[in-house]
Amino acid sequence: MISAWFTLFYFYIIILISLNQLCSFLQSQFVDFGDGTGCLVESPATENTTCYLSTNFIASYVLRELCGLGSIADKVDTLLLQYHQYSFHDYYQILLFKDIPYPFRLISTVDVASKVVGNKTISIKTVVVTGTLFKDYHEYANMLFYESIENQLKGFYKGAEDSYWRARKMFDGKGFADRVYTSLGYYETYKLALGLYTARLLAIKSDIELFRNLLNSIEPFATLYNSGLQGVGDLNIETAGLTAIALYSDLPTRVQQSNSGAQQPHIINIIVYGIVSITVALIIYLISKIRKYLFTSGYRSRPPFL
């Protein structure tokens, strides 16, 4: 009993600290433009002068809903509104229930604007959808997870499971060894987060624990990691935001509750159909018994009921 309580306490502390670390990281990347807007630069080292509208869309949700940093989220949202013509925020916007183009098409990065803050020039960029179909998307674990989520939200549950397990086959015990892994030689942390989110969505308990434990085992926590679960390079906004959503958001639970409610009429129909079928069968049985009684009791001149 003591051991169980200790494990629960330890798990709670780890989760609490991890969320605080993710929130602190996101907050540290925020740049205030001084005009009521601001954005989070993508990473401390690799892209420390670049803001992506797409990752800021995810970061805004995390800052407001999970971190309690609404004042920063407000400035990010105001910036996003200034560039409302760029309404696509990469395929991971499906995690926040924002529609995505499907069948998938390739995306490209475009320059949107620039802001001078002190002695730095911050480049604002985003991603846009092209007209070219993403024909080999099934070679990328993240795209299969997006497809699974898309199918689940649209009520195509079999398709959701099929896409999930296709991505799951790429998992080698440490991470998702998809086409990007083959090229880089490192695992991408955010794909573990996507796997966790989708496993929660589909209620695959064993994978929920597996992916959660792996995420918490990467040290230092970074955008990439190796087979020894050692983080490589720095952490970026995309990875931190998606990890926070996968670990701590109730979004997958909301979908499960919605789907459960939507399925209730179907269950009721099955029950009603069963009751009606049994009732009809009983009536037919009773009629056959009455006919038999009448014919064996001298009432043969009477026409049969059926």
Side-chain angles (χ1 to χ4, degrees):
M1 182 68 177
I2 294 176
S3 176
W5 277 107
F6 176 78
T7 301
L8 181 62
F9 176 75
Y10 176 78
F11 178 76
Y12 174 76
I13 292 299
I14 291 296
I15 290 297
L16 182 61
I17 292 174
S18 295
L19 179 57
N20 284 341
Q21 289 173 342
L22 290 171
C23 291
S24 295
F25 171 76
L26 292 174
Q27 185 177 15
S28 71
Q29 295 302 107
F30 177 70
V31 177
D32 195 325
F33 293 149
D35 59 357
T37 70
C39 74
L40 283 68
V41 291
E42 188 60 21
S43 63
T46 308
E47 293 183 289
N48 59 4
T49 59
T50 303
C51 285
Y52 291 98
L53 298 180
S54 50
T55 56
N56 273 259
F57 174 76
I58 292 294
S60 173
Y61 169 84
V62 175
L63 288 167
R64 185 184 307 282
E65 301 297 331
L66 302 180
C67 302
L69 297 171
S71 59
I72 295 178
D74 287 343
K75 293 182 179 181
V76 173
D77 287 346
T78 302
L79 181 74
L80 293 174
L81 282 173
Q82 283 187 358
Y83 303 105
H84 59 85
Q85 66 270 33
Y86 298 104
S87 58
F88 175 71
H89 299 303
D90 213 325
Y91 284 107
Y92 42 65
Q93 69 185 30
I94 192 67
L95 275 68
L96 303 186
F97 308 152
K98 182 176 172 61
D99 286 342
I100 57 176
Y102 188 81
F104 297 132
R105 301 200 299 275
L106 295 176
I107 61 176
S108 65
T109 302
V110 297
D111 295 319
V112 175
S114 62
K115 299 272 188 177
V116 177
V117 181
N119 60 352
K120 282 187 176 182
T121 299
I122 306 298
S123 298
I124 300 175
K125 301 182 179 184
T126 195
V127 294
V128 295
V129 179
T130 70
T132 305
L133 283 176
F134 196 164
K135 294 181 180 180
D136 56 351
Y137 76 90
H138 56 274
E139 297 182 30
Y140 301 85
N142 57 317
M143 300 308 299
L144 287 170
F145 286 133
Y146 299 142
E147 184 176 56
S148 178
I149 298 168
E150 166 77 2
N151 283 329
Q152 185 75 0
L153 293 179
K154 295 293 175 64
F156 305 132
Y157 307 123
K158 179 62 166 58
E161 291 184 356
D162 288 346
S163 297
Y164 178 84
W165 289 112
R166 288 176 73 186
R168 184 64 170 79
K169 287 181 180 179
M170 300 180 187
F171 183 73
D172 65 1
K174 300 291 185 179
F176 291 95
D178 61 3
R179 189 167 176 176
V180 175
Y181 172 81
T182 302
S183 175
L184 287 178
Y186 294 111
Y187 301 104
E188 294 176 285
T189 305
Y190 86 95
K191 289 178 181 176
L192 279 179
L194 292 178
L196 173 59
Y197 182 102
T198 315
R200 290 182 62 199
L201 188 70
L202 301 180
I204 304 174
K205 294 182 179 179
S206 58
D207 280 0
I208 292 172
E209 292 304 314
L210 174 62
F211 297 147
R212 179 184 287 143
N213 290 338
L214 281 172
L215 280 170
N216 282 318
S217 298
I218 298 171
E219 182 64 35
F221 196 72
T223 301
L224 303 174
Y225 67 98
N226 60 27
S227 59
L229 300 180
Q230 298 168 320
V232 178
D234 59 358
L235 179 62
N236 64 14
I237 297 302
E238 178 183 67
T239 301
L242 294 176
T243 299
I245 291 172
L247 283 171
Y248 313 113
S249 172
D250 67 344
L251 292 173
T253 307
R254 290 187 206 173
V255 175
Q256 286 180 4
Q257 291 172 344
S258 175
N259 289 342
S260 176
Q263 291 172 4
Q264 287 304 313
H266 177 63
I267 295 172
I268 292 173
N269 287 340
I270 292 175
I271 294 173
V272 170
Y273 178 79
I275 293 173
V276 171
S277 298
I278 293 172
T279 302
V280 171
L282 286 173
I283 292 173
I284 293 173
Y285 174 77
L286 289 174
I287 290 175
S288 67
K289 285 294 185 181
I290 293 173
R291 288 180 62 193
K292 182 177 181 181
Y293 172 77
L294 292 174
F295 278 106
T296 57
S297 301
Y299 294 96
R300 299 180 187 277
S301 58
R302 298 186 181 184
F305 289 99
L306 294 176

